[in-house]
Coordinates of all heavy atoms in Angstrom, one line a residue:
V95 N 0.8 -1.2 0.0 CA 0.0 0.0 0.0 C 0.9 1.3 0.0 O 0.7 2.1 -0.8 CB -1.0 0.0 1.2 CG1 -1.7 1.3 1.3 CG2 -1.9 -1.2 1.2
A96 N 1.8 1.4 1.0 CA 2.6 2.6 1.1 C 3.8 2.3 1.9 O 3.9 1.3 2.6 CB 1.8 3.7 1.7
R97 N 4.8 3.2 1.7 CA 6.1 3.0 2.5 C 6.7 4.3 2.8 O 6.6 5.3 1.9 CB 7.0 2.2 1.6 CG 8.5 2.1 2.1 CD 9.4 1.3 1.2 NE 10.8 1.3 1.3 CZ 11.5 0.3 1.9 NH1 10.9 -0.8 2.2 NH2 12.8 0.4 2.1
I98 N 7.4 4.4 3.9 CA 8.1 5.7 4.2 C 9.5 5.3 4.7 O 9.6 4.3 5.4 CB 7.3 6.5 5.3 CG1 7.9 7.7 5.5 CG2 7.2 5.7 6.6 CD1 7.1 8.7 6.4
S99 N 10.5 6.0 4.3 CA 11.8 5.9 4.8 C 12.5 7.2 4.8 O 12.0 8.2 4.4 CB 12.6 4.9 3.9 OG 12.7 5.4 2.6
W100 N 13.7 7.3 5.5 CA 14.4 8.5 5.6 C 15.9 8.3 5.3 O 16.5 7.2 5.4 CB 14.4 8.9 7.1 CG 13.0 9.3 7.6 CD1 12.4 10.5 7.6 CD2 12.1 8.3 8.1 NE1 11.1 10.3 8.1 CE2 10.9 9.0 8.5 CE3 12.0 6.9 8.3 CZ2 9.8 8.5 8.9 CZ3 10.9 6.3 8.8 CH2 9.8 7.1 9.1
S101 N 16.5 9.4 4.7 CA 17.9 9.5 4.5 C 18.3 10.8 5.1 O 18.1 11.8 4.5 CB 18.3 9.3 3.0 OG 19.7 9.4 2.9
G102 N 18.9 10.8 6.3 CA 19.1 12.0 7.0 C 17.8 12.7 7.3 O 16.9 12.2 7.9
V103 N 17.6 14.0 6.8 CA 16.4 14.7 7.1 C 15.4 14.6 5.9 O 14.3 15.1 5.9 CB 16.7 16.1 7.4 CG1 17.5 16.3 8.6 CG2 17.3 16.8 6.1
T104 N 15.8 13.8 4.9 CA 15.0 13.7 3.7 C 14.1 12.5 3.9 O 14.5 11.3 4.2 CB 15.8 13.5 2.4 OG1 16.7 14.6 2.3 CG2 14.9 13.4 1.2
K105 N 12.7 12.7 3.6 CA 11.8 11.6 3.8 C 11.4 11.1 2.4 O 11.3 11.9 1.4 CB 10.6 12.1 4.5 CG 9.4 11.1 4.7 CD 8.3 11.8 5.4 CE 7.6 12.8 4.6 NZ 6.4 13.5 5.3
F106 N 11.2 9.8 2.2 CA 10.8 9.2 1.0 C 9.5 8.5 1.2 O 9.4 7.7 2.2 CB 11.9 8.3 0.4 CG 13.2 8.9 0.2 CD1 14.2 8.9 1.1 CD2 13.5 9.5 -1.1 CE1 15.4 9.5 0.9 CE2 14.7 10.1 -1.3 CZ 15.7 10.2 -0.3
T107 N 8.6 8.7 0.3 CA 7.3 7.9 0.4 C 7.0 7.3 -1.0 O 7.3 7.8 -2.0 CB 6.2 8.9 0.8 OG1 6.1 9.9 -0.1 CG2 6.4 9.4 2.2
Y108 N 6.4 6.2 -0.8 CA 6.0 5.4 -2.1 C 4.6 4.9 -1.9 O 4.2 4.6 -0.7 CB 6.9 4.2 -2.3 CG 8.4 4.6 -2.3 CD1 9.1 4.7 -1.2 CD2 9.0 4.9 -3.6 CE1 10.5 4.9 -1.2 CE2 10.3 5.2 -3.6 CZ 11.1 5.3 -2.4 OH 12.4 5.5 -2.5
Y109 N 3.8 4.9 -2.9 CA 2.4 4.4 -2.8 C 2.1 3.5 -4.0 O 2.6 3.6 -5.1 CB 1.4 5.6 -3.0 CG 1.6 6.6 -1.8 CD1 2.4 7.7 -1.9 CD2 0.9 6.5 -0.7 CE1 2.6 8.6 -0.9 CE2 1.0 7.3 0.4 CZ 1.9 8.5 0.2 OH 2.0 9.3 1.3
A110 N 1.2 2.6 -3.7 CA 0.6 1.8 -4.8 C -0.2 2.6 -5.6 O -0.9 3.6 -5.1 CB -0.3 0.6 -4.1
D111 N -0.3 2.4 -6.9 CA -1.1 3.2 -7.8 C -2.6 3.3 -7.4 O -3.2 4.3 -7.6 CB -1.0 2.6 -9.2 CG 0.3 2.8 -9.9 OD1 1.1 3.6 -9.4 OD2 0.6 2.2 -10.8
S112 N -3.1 2.2 -6.8 CA -4.5 2.1 -6.4 C -4.8 3.1 -5.3 O -6.0 3.4 -5.1 CB -4.9 0.7 -6.0 OG -4.1 0.3 -4.9
V113 N -3.8 3.6 -4.5 CA -4.2 4.5 -3.4 C -3.6 5.9 -3.6 O -3.8 6.8 -2.8 CB -3.7 3.9 -2.1 CG1 -4.2 2.5 -2.0 CG2 -2.1 3.9 -2.0
K114 N -2.8 6.1 -4.6 CA -2.2 7.4 -4.9 C -3.2 8.5 -4.9 O -4.2 8.4 -5.5 CB -1.3 7.4 -6.1 CG 0.1 6.9 -6.0 CD 0.8 6.9 -7.3 CE 2.1 6.3 -7.2 NZ 2.8 6.2 -8.5
G115 N -3.0 9.6 -4.2 CA -3.9 10.7 -4.2 C -5.0 10.5 -3.1 O -5.7 11.5 -2.9
R116 N -5.1 9.3 -2.5 CA -6.2 9.2 -1.6 C -5.5 8.9 -0.2 O -6.1 9.2 0.8 CB -7.1 8.0 -1.9 CG -7.8 8.3 -3.3 CD -8.9 7.1 -3.5 NE -8.3 5.8 -3.6 CZ -8.6 4.8 -2.8 NH1 -9.4 4.9 -1.9 NH2 -8.0 3.6 -3.0
F117 N -4.4 8.1 -0.2 CA -3.8 7.7 1.1 C -2.5 8.5 1.3 O -1.8 8.9 0.3 CB -3.4 6.2 1.1 CG -4.6 5.3 1.1 CD1 -5.9 5.7 1.0 CD2 -4.4 3.9 1.3 CE1 -7.0 4.8 1.0 CE2 -5.4 3.0 1.4 CZ -6.7 3.5 1.2
T118 N -2.2 8.8 2.5 CA -1.0 9.5 2.8 C -0.3 8.8 4.0 O -0.9 8.6 5.1 CB -1.2 11.0 3.2 OG1 -1.9 11.6 2.1 CG2 0.1 11.8 3.5
I119 N 1.0 8.5 3.8 CA 1.8 7.9 4.9 C 2.6 9.0 5.6 O 3.2 9.9 4.9 CB 2.7 6.7 4.4 CG1 3.3 6.0 5.6 CG2 3.7 7.2 3.4 CD1 3.9 4.6 5.2
S120 N 2.7 9.0 6.9 CA 3.4 10.0 7.6 C 3.9 9.4 8.8 O 3.6 8.3 9.2 CB 2.5 11.2 7.9 OG 1.4 10.9 8.7
S121 N 4.7 10.3 9.6 CA 5.2 9.7 10.9 C 5.3 10.8 11.9 O 5.4 12.1 11.6 CB 6.6 9.2 10.6 OG 7.5 10.2 10.3
D122 N 5.3 10.4 13.2 CA 5.6 11.3 14.3 C 6.7 10.6 15.0 O 6.6 9.6 15.7 CB 4.4 11.3 15.2 CG 4.6 12.3 16.4 OD1 5.8 12.5 16.8 OD2 3.7 12.8 16.9
N123 N 8.0 11.0 14.7 CA 9.1 10.4 15.2 C 9.2 10.5 16.7 O 9.9 9.6 17.4 CB 10.4 11.0 14.5 CG 10.4 10.6 13.1 OD1 9.8 9.6 12.6 ND2 11.0 11.5 12.3
A124 N 8.7 11.6 17.3 CA 8.8 11.6 18.8 C 8.0 10.5 19.4 O 8.3 10.0 20.4 CB 8.2 13.0 19.1
K125 N 6.9 10.1 18.7 CA 6.1 9.0 19.2 C 6.5 7.7 18.6 O 5.9 6.6 19.0 CB 4.6 9.3 18.9 CG 4.1 10.5 19.6 CD 2.6 10.7 19.3 CE 2.0 11.9 20.1 NZ 0.6 12.1 19.7
N126 N 7.4 7.7 17.7 CA 7.9 6.4 17.0 C 6.7 5.7 16.4 O 6.5 4.5 16.6 CB 8.6 5.5 17.9 CG 9.7 4.8 17.2 OD1 10.4 5.3 16.3 ND2 10.0 3.6 17.6
T127 N 5.8 6.5 15.7 CA 4.6 6.0 15.1 C 4.5 6.5 13.7 O 4.9 7.6 13.4 CB 3.4 6.6 16.0 OG1 3.5 6.1 17.3 CG2 2.0 6.1 15.3
V128 N 4.0 5.5 12.8 CA 3.8 5.9 11.4 C 2.3 5.8 11.3 O 1.6 4.9 11.8 CB 4.5 4.8 10.5 CG1 4.0 5.0 9.1 CG2 6.0 5.1 10.6
Y129 N 1.8 6.7 10.5 CA 0.3 6.8 10.2 C 0.0 6.5 8.8 O 0.9 6.7 7.9 CB -0.2 8.2 10.6 CG 0.1 8.6 12.0 CD1 1.1 9.4 12.3 CD2 -0.8 8.1 13.1 CE1 1.3 9.8 13.6 CE2 -0.5 8.4 14.3 CZ 0.6 9.2 14.7 OH 0.8 9.6 15.9
L130 N -1.2 6.0 8.5 CA -1.7 5.9 7.2 C -3.1 6.6 7.1 O -4.0 6.1 7.7 CB -1.8 4.4 6.7 CG -2.3 4.2 5.3 CD1 -1.1 4.7 4.3 CD2 -2.6 2.8 5.0
Q131 N -3.1 7.8 6.6 CA -4.3 8.5 6.5 C -5.0 8.0 5.2 O -4.4 8.2 4.1 CB -4.1 10.0 6.4 CG -5.3 10.8 6.2 CD -6.3 10.8 7.4 OE1 -5.9 10.8 8.5 NE2 -7.6 10.6 7.1
M132 N -6.2 7.5 5.3 CA -7.0 7.0 4.2 C -8.2 7.8 3.9 O -9.1 7.8 4.8 CB -7.3 5.5 4.4 CG -6.1 4.7 4.8 SD -6.5 2.9 4.9 CE -7.6 2.9 6.3
N133 N -8.3 8.4 2.8 CA -9.4 9.3 2.4 C -10.1 8.6 1.2 O -9.5 7.8 0.5 CB -9.0 10.7 2.1 CG -8.3 11.4 3.4 OD1 -8.7 11.1 4.5 ND2 -7.4 12.3 3.1
S134 N -11.3 9.1 1.0 CA -12.1 8.7 -0.2 C -12.0 7.2 -0.3 O -11.8 6.6 -1.4 CB -11.6 9.3 -1.4 OG -11.5 10.7 -1.3
L135 N -12.4 6.5 0.8 CA -12.3 5.1 0.9 C -13.4 4.4 -0.1 O -14.4 4.9 -0.2 CB -12.4 4.5 2.3 CG -11.2 4.7 3.1 CD1 -11.5 4.6 4.6 CD2 -10.2 3.6 2.8
K136 N -12.9 3.3 -0.6 CA -13.8 2.5 -1.6 C -14.0 1.1 -1.0 O -13.2 0.7 -0.2 CB -13.1 2.4 -3.0 CG -12.7 3.8 -3.6 CD -11.9 3.5 -4.8 CE -11.5 4.8 -5.5 NZ -10.7 4.6 -6.7
P137 N -15.1 0.5 -1.4 CA -15.3 -0.9 -0.9 C -14.1 -1.8 -1.2 O -13.8 -2.7 -0.4 CB -16.5 -1.3 -1.7 CG -17.2 0.0 -2.0 CD -16.2 1.0 -2.2
E138 N -13.4 -1.5 -2.3 CA -12.2 -2.4 -2.6 C -11.0 -2.1 -1.8 O -10.0 -2.8 -1.8 CB -11.8 -2.2 -4.1 CG -11.6 -0.8 -4.6 CD -12.8 -0.2 -5.2 OE1 -14.0 -0.5 -4.7 OE2 -12.7 0.5 -6.2
D139 N -11.1 -1.1 -0.9 CA -10.0 -0.9 0.1 C -10.2 -1.7 1.3 O -9.3 -1.8 2.2 CB -10.0 0.6 0.5 CG -9.6 1.6 -0.6 OD1 -8.7 1.2 -1.4 OD2 -10.3 2.6 -0.7
A140 N -11.3 -2.4 1.5 CA -11.5 -3.2 2.7 C -10.6 -4.4 2.7 O -10.4 -5.0 1.7 CB -13.0 -3.8 2.6
A141 N -10.0 -4.5 3.8 CA -8.9 -5.6 4.0 C -8.4 -5.5 5.5 O -8.8 -4.6 6.2 CB -7.8 -5.3 3.0
V142 N -7.6 -6.5 5.7 CA -6.7 -6.3 7.0 C -5.5 -5.6 6.6 O -4.8 -6.0 5.7 CB -6.4 -7.7 7.6 CG1 -5.6 -7.6 8.8 CG2 -7.7 -8.4 8.0

């Protein structure tokens, strides 16, 4: 679905074509937590 990585202060994100423009991956490094914001959800997004 999506991936996030870092090189120094530069962040890299990648998305599957099916979710580009609708999903956003981000992080809160202070909380050591990565998020996946999913907007405009479709029935085909249903999954674990």
Side-chain angles (χ1 to χ4, degrees):
V95 175
R97 172 182 168 106
I98 188 168
S99 62
W100 296 265
S101 178
V103 298
T104 303
K105 180 179 67 177
F106 299 93
T107 57
Y108 306 89
Y109 297 93
D111 288 343
S112 59
V113 307
K114 277 181 184 176
R116 300 188 298 121
F117 291 12
T118 302
I119 190 168
S120 63
S121 67
D122 183 333
N123 293 333
K125 296 181 178 179
N126 218 32
T127 300
V128 169
Y129 303 100
L130 184 69
Q131 177 67 43
M132 306 186 296
N133 298 328
S134 302
L135 282 161
K136 305 175 181 180
E138 53 264 42
D139 294 318
V142 177

